[in-house]
Short mmCIF file of all heavy atoms in Angstrom, two decimals:
data_model
loop_
_atom_site.label_atom_id
_atom_site.label_comp_id
_atom_site.label_asym_id
_atom_site.label_seq_id
_atom_site.Cartn_x
_atom_site.Cartn_y
_atom_site.Cartn_z
N VAL A 27 -85.23 -70.48 -34.41
CA VAL A 27 -83.92 -69.83 -34.31
C VAL A 27 -83.04 -70.56 -33.30
O VAL A 27 -81.84 -70.75 -33.54
CB VAL A 27 -84.09 -68.35 -33.92
CG1 VAL A 27 -82.73 -67.70 -33.68
CG2 VAL A 27 -84.84 -67.59 -35.01
N TRP A 28 -83.61 -70.98 -32.18
CA TRP A 28 -82.83 -71.71 -31.18
C TRP A 28 -82.26 -73.00 -31.78
O TRP A 28 -81.12 -73.37 -31.52
CB TRP A 28 -83.69 -72.03 -29.97
CG TRP A 28 -82.91 -72.68 -28.86
CD1 TRP A 28 -82.79 -74.01 -28.60
CD2 TRP A 28 -82.11 -72.00 -27.89
NE1 TRP A 28 -81.98 -74.21 -27.53
CE2 TRP A 28 -81.55 -73.00 -27.06
CE3 TRP A 28 -81.82 -70.66 -27.63
CZ2 TRP A 28 -80.72 -72.69 -25.99
CZ3 TRP A 28 -81.00 -70.35 -26.56
CH2 TRP A 28 -80.45 -71.37 -25.76
N THR A 29 -83.06 -73.68 -32.59
CA THR A 29 -82.59 -74.91 -33.23
C THR A 29 -81.38 -74.63 -34.11
O THR A 29 -80.43 -75.43 -34.14
CB THR A 29 -83.73 -75.53 -34.08
OG1 THR A 29 -84.82 -75.85 -33.23
CG2 THR A 29 -83.27 -76.78 -34.80
N LEU A 30 -81.40 -73.50 -34.83
CA LEU A 30 -80.24 -73.13 -35.65
C LEU A 30 -79.01 -72.90 -34.79
O LEU A 30 -77.89 -73.25 -35.20
CB LEU A 30 -80.56 -71.88 -36.46
CG LEU A 30 -81.39 -72.07 -37.73
CD1 LEU A 30 -81.72 -70.71 -38.35
CD2 LEU A 30 -80.65 -72.92 -38.74
N CYS A 31 -79.19 -72.30 -33.63
CA CYS A 31 -78.06 -72.05 -32.73
C CYS A 31 -77.37 -73.35 -32.33
O CYS A 31 -76.16 -73.39 -32.13
CB CYS A 31 -78.51 -71.33 -31.47
SG CYS A 31 -79.14 -69.66 -31.74
N GLU A 32 -78.17 -74.41 -32.17
CA GLU A 32 -77.65 -75.68 -31.65
C GLU A 32 -77.28 -76.67 -32.75
O GLU A 32 -76.60 -77.66 -32.49
CB GLU A 32 -78.73 -76.31 -30.76
CG GLU A 32 -79.14 -75.44 -29.57
CD GLU A 32 -78.02 -75.28 -28.58
OE1 GLU A 32 -77.54 -76.30 -28.04
OE2 GLU A 32 -77.59 -74.12 -28.37
N LYS A 33 -77.71 -76.41 -33.97
CA LYS A 33 -77.69 -77.41 -35.03
C LYS A 33 -76.29 -77.89 -35.41
O LYS A 33 -76.09 -79.06 -35.74
CB LYS A 33 -78.40 -76.83 -36.26
CG LYS A 33 -78.67 -77.85 -37.35
CD LYS A 33 -79.56 -77.24 -38.42
CE LYS A 33 -79.96 -78.27 -39.46
NZ LYS A 33 -80.88 -77.71 -40.47
N PHE A 34 -75.31 -76.99 -35.38
CA PHE A 34 -73.99 -77.33 -35.89
C PHE A 34 -72.94 -77.41 -34.78
O PHE A 34 -71.75 -77.19 -35.02
CB PHE A 34 -73.58 -76.30 -36.95
CG PHE A 34 -74.58 -76.16 -38.06
CD1 PHE A 34 -75.38 -75.03 -38.15
CD2 PHE A 34 -74.76 -77.17 -38.98
CE1 PHE A 34 -76.32 -74.89 -39.15
CE2 PHE A 34 -75.69 -77.05 -40.00
CZ PHE A 34 -76.49 -75.92 -40.09
N SER A 35 -73.37 -77.76 -33.57
CA SER A 35 -72.47 -77.79 -32.43
C SER A 35 -71.35 -78.82 -32.60
O SER A 35 -70.29 -78.69 -31.98
CB SER A 35 -73.25 -78.08 -31.15
OG SER A 35 -73.96 -79.30 -31.26
N GLU A 36 -71.56 -79.83 -33.43
CA GLU A 36 -70.53 -80.86 -33.64
C GLU A 36 -69.24 -80.29 -34.22
O GLU A 36 -68.17 -80.89 -34.05
CB GLU A 36 -71.06 -81.94 -34.57
CG GLU A 36 -71.30 -81.48 -35.99
CD GLU A 36 -71.95 -82.54 -36.87
OE1 GLU A 36 -73.20 -82.59 -36.88
OE2 GLU A 36 -71.22 -83.29 -37.51
N PHE A 37 -69.31 -79.12 -34.87
CA PHE A 37 -68.11 -78.55 -35.47
C PHE A 37 -67.30 -77.72 -34.47
O PHE A 37 -66.18 -77.31 -34.77
CB PHE A 37 -68.48 -77.69 -36.69
CG PHE A 37 -69.04 -78.50 -37.82
CD1 PHE A 37 -70.42 -78.57 -38.03
CD2 PHE A 37 -68.21 -79.22 -38.66
CE1 PHE A 37 -70.95 -79.32 -39.06
CE2 PHE A 37 -68.73 -79.98 -39.70
CZ PHE A 37 -70.10 -80.03 -39.90
N ASP A 38 -67.88 -77.47 -33.30
CA ASP A 38 -67.19 -76.77 -32.22
C ASP A 38 -66.61 -75.43 -32.67
O ASP A 38 -65.47 -75.08 -32.37
CB ASP A 38 -66.07 -77.65 -31.66
CG ASP A 38 -65.56 -77.15 -30.30
OD1 ASP A 38 -66.35 -76.52 -29.58
OD2 ASP A 38 -64.38 -77.38 -29.99
N THR A 39 -67.39 -74.70 -33.44
CA THR A 39 -67.01 -73.36 -33.88
C THR A 39 -68.15 -72.40 -33.56
O THR A 39 -69.31 -72.79 -33.48
CB THR A 39 -66.72 -73.31 -35.39
OG1 THR A 39 -67.88 -73.78 -36.11
CG2 THR A 39 -65.53 -74.16 -35.77
N PRO A 40 -67.83 -71.11 -33.39
CA PRO A 40 -68.88 -70.13 -33.09
C PRO A 40 -69.88 -69.96 -34.23
O PRO A 40 -69.58 -70.28 -35.39
CB PRO A 40 -68.10 -68.83 -32.85
CG PRO A 40 -66.69 -69.26 -32.61
CD PRO A 40 -66.49 -70.52 -33.39
N ILE A 41 -71.02 -69.42 -33.88
CA ILE A 41 -72.07 -69.06 -34.85
C ILE A 41 -72.15 -67.54 -34.93
O ILE A 41 -72.17 -66.85 -33.91
CB ILE A 41 -73.44 -69.61 -34.41
CG1 ILE A 41 -73.42 -71.15 -34.31
CG2 ILE A 41 -74.55 -69.13 -35.35
CD1 ILE A 41 -73.35 -71.85 -35.63
N HIS A 42 -72.18 -67.02 -36.16
CA HIS A 42 -72.53 -65.62 -36.39
C HIS A 42 -73.86 -65.60 -37.15
O HIS A 42 -74.00 -66.28 -38.18
CB HIS A 42 -71.47 -64.91 -37.24
CG HIS A 42 -70.23 -64.56 -36.50
ND1 HIS A 42 -69.33 -63.63 -36.98
CD2 HIS A 42 -69.72 -64.99 -35.32
CE1 HIS A 42 -68.32 -63.52 -36.13
NE2 HIS A 42 -68.54 -64.34 -35.12
N PHE A 43 -74.82 -64.86 -36.64
CA PHE A 43 -76.03 -64.58 -37.43
C PHE A 43 -75.69 -63.37 -38.29
O PHE A 43 -75.70 -62.23 -37.83
CB PHE A 43 -77.24 -64.38 -36.51
CG PHE A 43 -77.84 -65.68 -36.07
CD1 PHE A 43 -77.22 -66.44 -35.10
CD2 PHE A 43 -78.98 -66.17 -36.68
CE1 PHE A 43 -77.74 -67.67 -34.72
CE2 PHE A 43 -79.52 -67.40 -36.30
CZ PHE A 43 -78.90 -68.15 -35.32
N THR A 44 -75.37 -63.63 -39.55
CA THR A 44 -74.69 -62.67 -40.42
C THR A 44 -75.62 -61.69 -41.11
O THR A 44 -75.20 -60.60 -41.50
CB THR A 44 -73.88 -63.41 -41.48
OG1 THR A 44 -74.76 -64.31 -42.18
CG2 THR A 44 -72.74 -64.19 -40.85
N GLU A 45 -76.87 -62.08 -41.31
CA GLU A 45 -77.81 -61.23 -42.05
C GLU A 45 -79.21 -61.45 -41.48
O GLU A 45 -79.86 -62.43 -41.83
CB GLU A 45 -77.79 -61.53 -43.55
CG GLU A 45 -76.41 -61.39 -44.19
CD GLU A 45 -76.41 -61.76 -45.67
OE1 GLU A 45 -77.48 -61.61 -46.32
OE2 GLU A 45 -75.36 -62.21 -46.17
N ILE A 46 -79.65 -60.56 -40.62
CA ILE A 46 -80.97 -60.67 -40.02
C ILE A 46 -81.89 -59.58 -40.56
O ILE A 46 -81.54 -58.40 -40.52
CB ILE A 46 -80.90 -60.58 -38.48
CG1 ILE A 46 -80.32 -61.87 -37.89
CG2 ILE A 46 -82.27 -60.31 -37.88
CD1 ILE A 46 -80.24 -61.89 -36.39
N SER A 47 -83.03 -59.98 -41.05
CA SER A 47 -84.06 -59.03 -41.49
C SER A 47 -85.38 -59.38 -40.85
O SER A 47 -85.86 -60.51 -40.97
CB SER A 47 -84.23 -59.06 -43.02
OG SER A 47 -83.03 -58.73 -43.69
N ILE A 48 -85.96 -58.44 -40.12
CA ILE A 48 -87.32 -58.55 -39.60
C ILE A 48 -88.07 -57.30 -40.06
O ILE A 48 -87.59 -56.18 -39.86
CB ILE A 48 -87.33 -58.63 -38.06
CG1 ILE A 48 -86.57 -59.88 -37.59
CG2 ILE A 48 -88.76 -58.66 -37.54
CD1 ILE A 48 -86.45 -59.97 -36.07
N LEU A 49 -89.22 -57.47 -40.68
CA LEU A 49 -89.90 -56.35 -41.33
C LEU A 49 -90.86 -55.64 -40.39
O LEU A 49 -91.36 -56.20 -39.42
CB LEU A 49 -90.66 -56.84 -42.55
CG LEU A 49 -89.87 -57.67 -43.58
CD1 LEU A 49 -90.70 -57.85 -44.84
CD2 LEU A 49 -88.52 -57.07 -43.88
N SER A 50 -91.12 -54.37 -40.73
CA SER A 50 -92.07 -53.55 -39.95
C SER A 50 -93.28 -53.18 -40.80
O SER A 50 -93.92 -52.16 -40.58
CB SER A 50 -91.39 -52.28 -39.45
OG SER A 50 -90.93 -51.50 -40.54
N GLY A 51 -93.60 -54.03 -41.77
CA GLY A 51 -94.76 -53.79 -42.62
C GLY A 51 -95.08 -55.02 -43.44
O GLY A 51 -94.23 -55.89 -43.64
N ILE A 52 -96.33 -55.10 -43.91
CA ILE A 52 -96.78 -56.22 -44.74
C ILE A 52 -96.97 -55.74 -46.17
O ILE A 52 -97.53 -54.67 -46.40
CB ILE A 52 -98.10 -56.80 -44.20
CG1 ILE A 52 -97.89 -57.32 -42.77
CG2 ILE A 52 -98.61 -57.93 -45.09
CD1 ILE A 52 -99.17 -57.77 -42.10
N LYS A 53 -96.53 -56.54 -47.13
CA LYS A 53 -96.62 -56.15 -48.54
C LYS A 53 -98.07 -56.16 -49.00
O LYS A 53 -98.82 -57.09 -48.74
CB LYS A 53 -95.79 -57.09 -49.41
CG LYS A 53 -95.54 -56.58 -50.81
CD LYS A 53 -94.51 -57.44 -51.52
CE LYS A 53 -94.12 -56.82 -52.85
NZ LYS A 53 -93.08 -57.63 -53.54
N SER A 54 -98.45 -55.08 -49.69
CA SER A 54 -99.79 -54.96 -50.25
C SER A 54 -99.65 -54.53 -51.70
O SER A 54 -99.34 -53.38 -52.00
CB SER A 54 -100.62 -53.93 -49.47
OG SER A 54 -101.89 -53.76 -50.05
N GLY A 55 -99.85 -55.48 -52.62
CA GLY A 55 -99.65 -55.18 -54.03
C GLY A 55 -98.18 -54.87 -54.28
O GLY A 55 -97.30 -55.65 -53.95
N ASN A 56 -97.93 -53.70 -54.87
CA ASN A 56 -96.55 -53.28 -55.10
C ASN A 56 -96.00 -52.44 -53.96
O ASN A 56 -94.84 -52.01 -53.99
CB ASN A 56 -96.46 -52.47 -56.41
CG ASN A 56 -96.76 -53.33 -57.62
OD1 ASN A 56 -96.42 -54.50 -57.65
ND2 ASN A 56 -97.43 -52.74 -58.61
N LYS A 57 -96.82 -52.17 -52.95
CA LYS A 57 -96.40 -51.33 -51.83
C LYS A 57 -95.94 -52.19 -50.66
O LYS A 57 -96.57 -53.18 -50.30
CB LYS A 57 -97.54 -50.41 -51.40
CG LYS A 57 -97.96 -49.38 -52.45
CD LYS A 57 -98.94 -48.38 -51.88
CE LYS A 57 -98.27 -47.49 -50.85
NZ LYS A 57 -99.20 -46.42 -50.36
N TRP A 58 -94.83 -51.78 -50.10
CA TRP A 58 -94.26 -52.49 -48.96
C TRP A 58 -93.68 -51.44 -48.03
O TRP A 58 -92.50 -51.16 -48.02
CB TRP A 58 -93.17 -53.44 -49.44
CG TRP A 58 -92.97 -54.63 -48.54
CD1 TRP A 58 -93.46 -54.81 -47.30
CD2 TRP A 58 -92.22 -55.80 -48.86
NE1 TRP A 58 -93.07 -56.02 -46.79
CE2 TRP A 58 -92.31 -56.66 -47.73
CE3 TRP A 58 -91.49 -56.21 -49.96
CZ2 TRP A 58 -91.67 -57.90 -47.69
CZ3 TRP A 58 -90.87 -57.45 -49.93
CH2 TRP A 58 -90.96 -58.29 -48.80
N GLU A 59 -94.57 -50.85 -47.24
CA GLU A 59 -94.18 -49.73 -46.39
C GLU A 59 -94.27 -50.09 -44.92
O GLU A 59 -95.05 -50.96 -44.51
CB GLU A 59 -95.09 -48.51 -46.68
CG GLU A 59 -95.02 -48.00 -48.10
CD GLU A 59 -93.70 -47.35 -48.45
OE1 GLU A 59 -92.96 -46.96 -47.52
OE2 GLU A 59 -93.40 -47.24 -49.65
N SER A 60 -93.49 -49.39 -44.12
CA SER A 60 -93.55 -49.55 -42.68
C SER A 60 -94.86 -48.97 -42.14
O SER A 60 -95.36 -47.96 -42.64
CB SER A 60 -92.36 -48.83 -42.03
OG SER A 60 -92.25 -49.13 -40.67
N THR A 61 -95.44 -49.63 -41.14
CA THR A 61 -96.67 -49.16 -40.51
C THR A 61 -96.46 -49.06 -39.00
O THR A 61 -95.53 -49.63 -38.44
CB THR A 61 -97.83 -50.12 -40.79
OG1 THR A 61 -97.57 -51.38 -40.16
CG2 THR A 61 -98.03 -50.34 -42.28
N VAL A 62 -97.37 -48.34 -38.33
CA VAL A 62 -97.27 -48.18 -36.88
C VAL A 62 -97.33 -49.54 -36.19
O VAL A 62 -96.50 -49.88 -35.35
CB VAL A 62 -98.37 -47.25 -36.35
CG1 VAL A 62 -98.40 -47.26 -34.82
CG2 VAL A 62 -98.16 -45.83 -36.86
N GLN A 63 -98.33 -50.35 -36.55
CA GLN A 63 -98.46 -51.67 -35.93
C GLN A 63 -97.28 -52.56 -36.32
O GLN A 63 -96.78 -53.35 -35.51
CB GLN A 63 -99.77 -52.34 -36.33
CG GLN A 63 -100.02 -53.68 -35.63
CD GLN A 63 -100.03 -53.56 -34.12
OE1 GLN A 63 -100.71 -52.71 -33.56
NE2 GLN A 63 -99.27 -54.42 -33.44
N GLY A 64 -96.85 -52.44 -37.57
CA GLY A 64 -95.70 -53.22 -38.02
C GLY A 64 -94.45 -52.90 -37.22
O GLY A 64 -93.65 -53.79 -36.90
N GLU A 65 -94.26 -51.63 -36.89
CA GLU A 65 -93.09 -51.23 -36.11
C GLU A 65 -93.17 -51.75 -34.68
O GLU A 65 -92.15 -52.09 -34.07
CB GLU A 65 -92.93 -49.72 -36.16
CG GLU A 65 -92.50 -49.23 -37.54
CD GLU A 65 -92.39 -47.72 -37.64
OE1 GLU A 65 -92.18 -47.07 -36.61
OE2 GLU A 65 -92.51 -47.20 -38.77
N ILE A 66 -94.36 -51.79 -34.12
CA ILE A 66 -94.53 -52.37 -32.78
C ILE A 66 -94.22 -53.86 -32.80
O ILE A 66 -93.49 -54.38 -31.94
CB ILE A 66 -95.97 -52.12 -32.27
CG1 ILE A 66 -96.18 -50.63 -32.00
CG2 ILE A 66 -96.24 -52.94 -31.00
CD1 ILE A 66 -97.62 -50.26 -31.69
N ASP A 67 -94.74 -54.56 -33.82
CA ASP A 67 -94.48 -56.00 -33.93
C ASP A 67 -92.99 -56.26 -34.16
O ASP A 67 -92.42 -57.18 -33.56
CB ASP A 67 -95.29 -56.59 -35.08
CG ASP A 67 -96.79 -56.58 -34.82
OD1 ASP A 67 -97.18 -56.46 -33.63
OD2 ASP A 67 -97.56 -56.66 -35.79
N GLN A 68 -92.37 -55.47 -35.02
CA GLN A 68 -90.93 -55.63 -35.28
C GLN A 68 -90.12 -55.47 -34.00
O GLN A 68 -89.20 -56.25 -33.73
CB GLN A 68 -90.47 -54.61 -36.33
CG GLN A 68 -89.00 -54.73 -36.71
CD GLN A 68 -88.51 -53.53 -37.49
OE1 GLN A 68 -88.83 -52.38 -37.15
NE2 GLN A 68 -87.75 -53.76 -38.55
N ALA A 69 -90.48 -54.48 -33.19
CA ALA A 69 -89.74 -54.23 -31.95
C ALA A 69 -89.88 -55.41 -30.98
O ALA A 69 -88.90 -55.82 -30.34
CB ALA A 69 -90.24 -52.94 -31.29
N LYS A 70 -91.07 -55.97 -30.87
CA LYS A 70 -91.27 -57.13 -30.00
C LYS A 70 -90.41 -58.31 -30.47
O LYS A 70 -89.78 -59.01 -29.66
CB LYS A 70 -92.75 -57.54 -30.00
CG LYS A 70 -93.69 -56.58 -29.32
CD LYS A 70 -95.12 -57.10 -29.41
CE LYS A 70 -96.11 -56.15 -28.76
NZ LYS A 70 -97.51 -56.64 -28.88
N GLN A 71 -90.39 -58.51 -31.77
CA GLN A 71 -89.64 -59.63 -32.32
C GLN A 71 -88.13 -59.42 -32.19
O GLN A 71 -87.38 -60.37 -31.92
CB GLN A 71 -90.04 -59.83 -33.79
CG GLN A 71 -91.47 -60.32 -33.92
CD GLN A 71 -92.10 -60.02 -35.27
OE1 GLN A 71 -91.46 -59.48 -36.18
NE2 GLN A 71 -93.39 -60.35 -35.41
N VAL A 72 -87.70 -58.17 -32.33
CA VAL A 72 -86.29 -57.86 -32.12
C VAL A 72 -85.88 -58.16 -30.68
O VAL A 72 -84.83 -58.75 -30.42
CB VAL A 72 -85.99 -56.38 -32.47
CG1 VAL A 72 -84.68 -55.91 -31.86
CG2 VAL A 72 -85.95 -56.20 -33.98
#
C-alpha cells in the first residue's frame, strides 16, 4: 500500500483511496460469512 502512495508522485496530484475492502471472514464453499476471528483480524488491518 505504501508503494501505491508513492508510485505516481511525478504527477504532483493528490491520491484518493476510492474503494477499500478488507474482509472479516474467509470463503468456505458458497458461504462467505463474518467470523469472530475474522473481525479481530479485520480490525487490526484497518
Side-chain angles (χ1 to χ4, degrees):
V27 175
W28 184 264
T29 299
L30 280 175
C31 295
E32 301 293 300
K33 190 171 185 177
F34 305 108
S35 58
E36 67 186 88
F37 294 100
D38 195 28
T39 56
I41 299 289
H42 284 197
F43 278 76
T44 55
E45 303 178 28
I46 286 182
S47 300
I48 299 176
L49 308 191
S50 60
I52 299 174
K53 195 170 187 178
S54 177
N56 294 324
K57 295 189 68 176
W58 207 348
E59 299 291 341
S60 190
T61 65
V62 171
Q63 184 58 50
E65 290 177 25
I66 292 172
D67 293 341
Q68 182 193 43
K70 291 179 181 178
Q71 292 157 3
V72 162

